[in-house]
Amino acid sequence: MIVTSVDIPGPLVIEPKVFGDERGFFLESWNEGRFAEAGLDWTFVQDNHSRSAKGVLRGIHFQNPNPQGKLVRVVSGAVWDVAVDLRRSSPHYGQWFGLELSAANKKMFWVPPGFGHGFLTLEDGTDFLYKCTSLYDPSAEQSLQWNDPAVGIDWPLDGIEPQLSAKDREGTPFDQIRAYA
Ligand SMILES: Cc1cn([C@H]2C[C@H](O)[C@@H](COP(=O)(O)OP(=O)(O)O[C@H]3O[C@H](C)C(=O)[C@H](O)[C@H]3O)O2)c(=O)[nH]c1=O
């Protein structure tokens, strides 16, 4: 397992060990002991799965209170996945990091509590799976406006208009969100 930090302290890119053979492959997507040995001492209470067509954009979502840490991965298709630092105390407040997660690259991405999360699907039939460190709390959930120039996420849209939920079409501007301390 290879664990790589990014230019914002907190989020991590995790490349699991892949055991390939003539049948296909095997990988451990979560192993409490092995991850703890790597300093990734997380406890998950909820698993989620969403499927999207190409061009769907979900996010930027976060819960405050009850922030969720998320360990995310793609098992079919591909996404451009983004984490945004929403901690006012952070020198990186408002900064984002993005990467491609795909069935092909088998990368996983740790989005810590305190960050907003979202993704744009790059292929049809994209299955997105993730583990959460706290339960879904719709009363605490917020949606940061996905294209707020104050954050300036560089989505690989290639000129397409993303498909958004009504909630995300009405996302909150960065300067009006209930951010973390
Ligand atoms: C998130 C969630 C949703 N739901 C129900 C609520 C709605 O009736 C339906 C779709 O919810 P929503 O449109 O919020 O789903 P996404 O847009 O995929 O939301 C997720 O998208 C971004 C990428 C995230 O990081 C969050 O985990 C999550 O907010 O599922 C549940 O029952 N439990 C849940 O944990």
Side-chain angles (χ1 to χ4, degrees), residues 82-117:
V82 174
V84 186
D85 190 345
L86 298 180
R87 303 165 299 178
R88 293 186 185 282
S89 59
S90 167
H92 303 274
Y93 181 55
Q95 291 179 20
W96 63 274
F97 175 82
L99 78 165
E100 183 168 328
L101 303 177
S102 67
N105 71 23
K106 302 182 181 61
K107 289 181 180 179
M108 301 195 285
F109 187 41
W110 165 244
V111 181
F115 283 72
H117 175 249

Side-chain angles (χ1 to χ4, degrees), residues 2-181:
I2 299 171
V3 182
T4 311
S5 57
V6 302
D7 51 7
I8 303 172
L12 297 170
V13 181
I14 298 160
E15 295 173 84
K17 183 173 176 60
V18 180
F19 299 91
D21 63 27
E22 64 283 350
R23 300 168 297 168
F25 75 86
F26 176 93
L27 64 84
E28 290 183 351
S29 54
W30 171 246
N31 179 312
E32 185 175 304
R34 209 184 300 283
F35 275 63
E37 284 166 14
L40 313 178
D41 190 14
W42 305 320
T43 300
F44 296 110
V45 296
Q46 181 176 325
D47 281 7
N48 294 335
H49 176 179
S50 66
R51 171 171 293 179
S52 309
K54 180 176 179 178
V56 165
L57 195 153
R58 298 175 186 253
I60 300 293
H61 300 161
F62 63 104
Q63 292 187 174
N64 186 17
N66 301 324
Q68 293 175 306
K70 299 166 189 171
L71 179 61
V72 307
R73 68 191 185 108
V74 170
V75 294
S76 64
V79 305
W80 176 253
D81 201 77
V82 174
V84 186
D85 190 345
L86 298 180
R87 303 165 299 178
R88 293 186 185 282
S89 59
S90 167
H92 303 274
Y93 181 55
Q95 291 179 20
W96 63 274
F97 175 82
L99 78 165
E100 183 168 328
L101 303 177
S102 67
N105 71 23
K106 302 182 181 61
K107 289 181 180 179
M108 301 195 285
F109 187 41
W110 165 244
V111 181
F115 283 72
H117 175 249
F119 63 84
L120 170 70
T121 51
L122 305 176
E123 295 178 16
D124 278 326
T126 289
D127 284 303
F128 190 88
L129 275 59
Y130 50 116
K131 306 180 79 69
C132 301
T133 60
S134 64
L135 295 176
Y136 176 55
D137 178 356
S139 69
E141 194 179 47
Q142 296 177 67
S143 180
L144 163 64
Q145 185 184 330
W146 64 279
N147 59 350
D148 189 332
V151 180
I153 297 170
D154 185 12
W155 298 102
L157 289 167
D158 293 336
I160 65 164
E161 190 64 31
Q163 184 180 346
L164 300 160
S165 65
K167 171 181 68 180
D168 292 345
R169 283 196 296 273
E170 305 300 321
T172 305
F174 177 63
D175 64 359
Q176 296 171 34
I177 62 168
R178 191 173 65 253
Y180 302 100

